[in-house]
Amino acid sequence: MRLSARTLPQLPAHVARPDYDRDRLATGIVHLGLGAFHRAQEAVFTEAAISAGDLRWGILGACLRSPVTRDALAPQDWLYTVAERSDGSEHLRVIGALRGVLVAPEKPEALLAAMSHPAVAIVSLTVTEKGYGLDPASGTLDTGQADIRHDLANPMRPRSAPGYLVEALGRRRAAGHRPFTVLCCDNLARNGEAVRRAVVELATLRDTALGHHIADTVAFPSTMLDRIVPATTDADRRHIAERIGLEDASPVIAEAYNRWIVEDRFPAGRPQWEAVGVELVSDIAPYEALKLQLLNASHSALAYLGYLAGHETIADACHDAVFRDFINVMMDEEIIPTLALPAGIDAHAYKRSVMARFANRAIRHRTWQIAMDGSQKLPPRLLRTIRTRLADGAPFARLALAVAGWMRYVSGTDEQGRPIDVRDPLAARLNAIAAAAGPVPERLAPALLALPEVFGNDLPREPHFVEPVTRWLARLYAVGARGATAEALSGA
């Protein structure tokens, strides 16, 4: 039988479930981009706040592209299971905070109407780095992007997340309703400010007065979300069905660790998240830097180098002493010295927790999954630190190898000559560059470095960056990822 409101009472006693009247749950949050990460993170904290007695904060989810999640959850009355795993243990809970799911391309007007409703106080987003229409090099709105061009020409039938935000905020202004808070939950540097730029710029191009209104009245708090959420597999679905005694078509797998830090700027109100473990702060910057430049940078480095070496998961790579020691040294010697952290934040303690989480074999986070969208991830995760090291005149051999690992990965062929399924917004251009350059580091490296949306205009002209990246790319071709990583670890 299928998980649903009717079958909830059949759940075993060890499975946590909603302990409130879901029929009385109101919609206070609309979430754009209803992927596994939101359902394992923001929705989990919100579920806890609702269970504490505040029924104003039900979530209406919106899929901006595919109906797959809607189609899986609709027969379940929007219920789903979260499996929190650590080595040797698993905790299961059924989440009831989701009140429904809209598929934006099917019913754009229904989504806009929901976002425009005065009871909605927050519109949150997890649409990945590429979903905001931003130019990665400049951080400004890319008006040449297809969805942004469409939204400028068809503002009442948007396709992009910024397009939906601008149109809904414009409708609320026209109706005399206070604006909702825009809460970005993606791994962007200063994510609130980044989304604010995209939304204000798009609004200003449509209507200068609307742009000024959004800039002056809408809150865009930044957030730092820290939880590893691998893709759910068929084996996971079978396992959860056995544990709960019901079929769940769309469960979510997550590590037990769950940390969310949020700038406390919500003029229209928010759930009492602080009562359920969310950390509310005045400035997210030091926490964000810690995560982006330690956890996310190391994740990417392990993804590219580990994949090339034949490791399917991050845990597999982390249990290989060469890669584990390489990441430890990279963080200790090249990343932590660049972090300006206030008193009370221990970067080395955080690093130790990151390494323990990476090694958790209960979480099968595939290197291929983390390697996706590398052209968007490299600037905030790796290149930001490299620019600091260059300015300080400090070495960065391991970070350079990580960048070279991305280059070798996007060449599209692994060390056994098998094709790599490269998923990236620039995939077509990356494929064309790799085909033209061939497996020749002296041609491939400068051709990839010429992508301004990844490397800007400064790094390709910096010999102290170009030389080590090209040299490490050559070593990857010569001795393979594990061999090159061993050389970088030894200081070769």
Side-chain angles (χ1 to χ4, degrees), residues 226-241:
D226 196 355
R227 191 172 218 191
I228 296 173
V229 183
T232 303
T233 66
D234 288 340
D236 292 323
R237 280 182 277 273
R238 290 192 296 270
H239 169 77
I240 289 170

Side-chain angles (χ1 to χ4, degrees), residues 11-310:
L11 288 171
H14 65 81
V15 181
R17 72 212 63 192
D19 56 359
Y20 52 87
D21 184 354
R22 292 183 75 223
D23 290 336
R24 295 176 53 216
L25 190 60
T27 299
I29 300 171
V30 173
H31 184 82
L32 307 183
L34 194 70
F37 190 83
H38 163 76
R39 294 195 290 128
Q41 221 272 350
E42 179 187 345
V44 169
F45 283 115
T46 303
E47 175 82 1
I50 293 169
S51 292
D54 193 344
L55 299 180
R56 295 175 296 166
W57 299 107
I59 301 169
L60 175 67
C63 303
L64 296 184
R65 293 288 185 265
S66 167
V68 170
T69 302
R70 187 270 316 273
D71 293 348
L73 291 177
Q76 301 180 182
D77 301 314
W78 317 113
L79 297 165
Y80 64 92
T81 310
V82 175
E84 299 175 339
R85 293 176 178 172
S86 56
D87 283 331
S89 68
E90 179 181 65
H91 177 259
L92 301 177
R93 69 173 72 180
V94 171
I95 302 298
L98 197 61
R99 298 200 67 243
V101 180
L102 295 173
V103 178
E106 294 178 2
K107 295 184 176 180
E109 185 56 36
L111 176 54
L112 288 167
M115 295 168 69
S116 304
H117 194 283
V120 170
I122 299 168
V123 174
S124 55
L125 306 93
T126 46
V127 296
T128 76
E129 295 94 334
K130 64 189 176 185
Y132 295 95
L134 292 167
D135 175 11
S138 67
T140 59
L141 187 70
D142 181 0
T143 56
Q145 194 176 103
D147 283 351
I148 300 300
R149 289 200 313 270
H150 172 275
D151 291 354
L152 285 169
N154 307 275
M156 290 185 291
R157 292 185 61 83
R159 290 179 183 168
S160 72
Y164 274 100
L165 292 169
V166 169
E167 177 63 15
L169 287 165
R171 293 186 183 194
R172 289 175 75 119
R173 173 181 176 236
H177 301 319
R178 70 187 307 173
F180 49 71
T181 296
V182 178
L183 186 65
C184 176
C185 300
D186 277 304
N187 280 320
L188 292 164
R190 301 295 299 177
N191 55 14
E193 294 178 10
V195 178
R196 182 182 185 274
R197 282 195 303 273
V199 172
V200 170
E201 289 178 28
L202 181 60
T204 302
L205 289 170
R206 276 188 49 182
D207 178 345
T208 302
L210 178 58
H212 286 308
H213 167 76
I214 292 174
D216 293 341
T217 66
V218 180
F220 293 82
S222 289
T223 67
M224 191 282 285
L225 302 97
D226 196 355
R227 191 172 218 191
I228 296 173
V229 183
T232 303
T233 66
D234 288 340
D236 292 323
R237 280 182 277 273
R238 290 192 296 270
H239 169 77
I240 289 170
E242 292 171 1
R243 296 263 348 252
I244 71 173
L246 297 168
E247 179 190 352
D248 183 346
S250 191
V252 176
I253 312 301
E255 64 174 337
Y257 185 98
N258 192 11
R259 190 181 191 191
W260 191 19
I261 304 176
V262 184
E263 289 180 343
D264 194 9
R265 294 187 286 116
F266 292 84
R270 59 165 174 78
Q272 292 297 305
W273 281 320
E274 70 273 27
V276 294
V278 178
E279 299 168 64
L280 298 169
V281 300
S282 58
D283 181 13
I284 205 75
Y287 305 95
E288 175 193 77
L290 192 68
K291 177 175 180 275
L292 275 173
Q293 295 173 248
L294 279 178
L295 186 147
N296 293 125
S298 301
H299 232 181
S300 289
L302 277 173
Y304 301 125
L305 298 171
Y307 180 97
L308 292 169

